[in-house]
Amino acid sequence: MDEDPRSKSWWHTLPGILTAAAGAITAITALVTALHQAGWLGRTPAPATPSPPSAVTPSAPANTSPTTAVAATPPPPPASALKVVLPERVEMVADTLAYRILKAQLLPYNPGQRSLKFQIRVANNSRYDGNFWSASFRLLADGSLLAPVNELNELVRGNSTMEGWVEFTVPDSLAQAQLQMGTVGVGVAGIPIVLKAEP
């Protein structure tokens, strides 16, 4: 006796459905893989590349006139330079120490003041050491005794010489003074110093 035709068609159809489904899955997988490799799937869109800004050439103003360069204001001319005039006798002796002016300089200092510097050589004619210090110098200027503004404090060995600088600040109106060396004080004679304009 033959089987029911409906059950026979169902049994024959189920394997066909499974085969068709497997083929469809394989085809879809192949399609997805191809699209992915082509960059259509899973690709992050690249940011848009901004176009370079176009160069803007500034237009010349309608009324153009030549510009004049402004030069820096030149500094005011310096005041007439002064020089220090020393006499022929530039030595003084106090006890066993002999002082001699080697050089004199007049330099700008503060407004209204100048620096008057002397390079001094002291010779110690004793077998004992002697002091070479600021206390041994004064400048008589405009009736006032001025002490050095620098600190000089050296020891001159016996029977030897040493050189050093002594500096005073003086008004820029000062025209003459006297430098006391060794023995200082009111009424002590000094070396006359004259300040005059350079030719």
Side-chain angles (χ1 to χ4, degrees):
M1 188 164 52
D2 293 336
E3 296 179 359
D4 185 1
R6 288 180 298 175
S7 65
K8 182 177 181 182
S9 65
W10 183 82
W11 285 108
H12 285 288
T13 305
L14 183 59
I17 292 175
L18 294 177
T19 302
I25 291 173
T26 303
I28 292 173
T29 303
L31 178 62
V32 170
T33 302
L35 291 177
H36 183 69
Q37 289 178 351
W40 288 69
L41 292 178
R43 183 182 68 171
T44 303
T49 304
S51 59
S54 59
V56 178
T57 304
S59 59
N63 297 327
T64 58
S65 60
T67 57
T68 305
V70 179
T73 305
S80 59
L82 298 179
K83 66 177 182 178
V84 183
V85 180
L86 299 175
E88 294 183 4
R89 176 179 170 269
V90 291
E91 284 188 349
M92 297 193 76
V93 178
D95 296 330
T96 61
L97 299 178
Y99 300 88
R100 180 179 180 84
I101 303 174
L102 300 179
K103 186 188 300 184
Q105 295 179 347
L106 187 64
L107 304 170
Y109 196 68
N110 288 327
Q113 288 184 315
R114 290 190 173 97
S115 168
L116 182 57
K117 300 175 69 174
F118 299 94
Q119 186 181 22
I120 308 294
R121 175 185 294 157
V122 60
N124 185 1
N125 299 315
S126 171
R127 54 185 290 190
Y128 303 107
D129 297 344
N131 290 323
F132 182 27
W133 53 4
S134 299
S136 299
F137 300 92
R138 291 293 182 270
L139 186 71
L140 180 60
D142 292 336
S144 300
L145 280 176
L146 305 177
V149 296
N150 67 318
E151 185 63 32
L152 177 65
N153 190 3
E154 301 291 342
L155 197 62
V156 186
R157 300 295 181 185
N159 298 312
S160 65
T161 60
M162 181 178 287
E163 296 177 6
W165 286 89
V166 181
E167 180 181 8
F168 300 89
T169 55
V170 297
D172 55 8
S173 60
L174 184 68
Q176 58 185 4
Q178 290 185 18
L179 178 62
Q180 299 176 353
M181 301 186 293
T183 303
V184 300
V186 177
V188 176
I191 303 293
I193 308 296
V194 177
L195 310 179
K196 70 175 186 177
E198 292 181 334

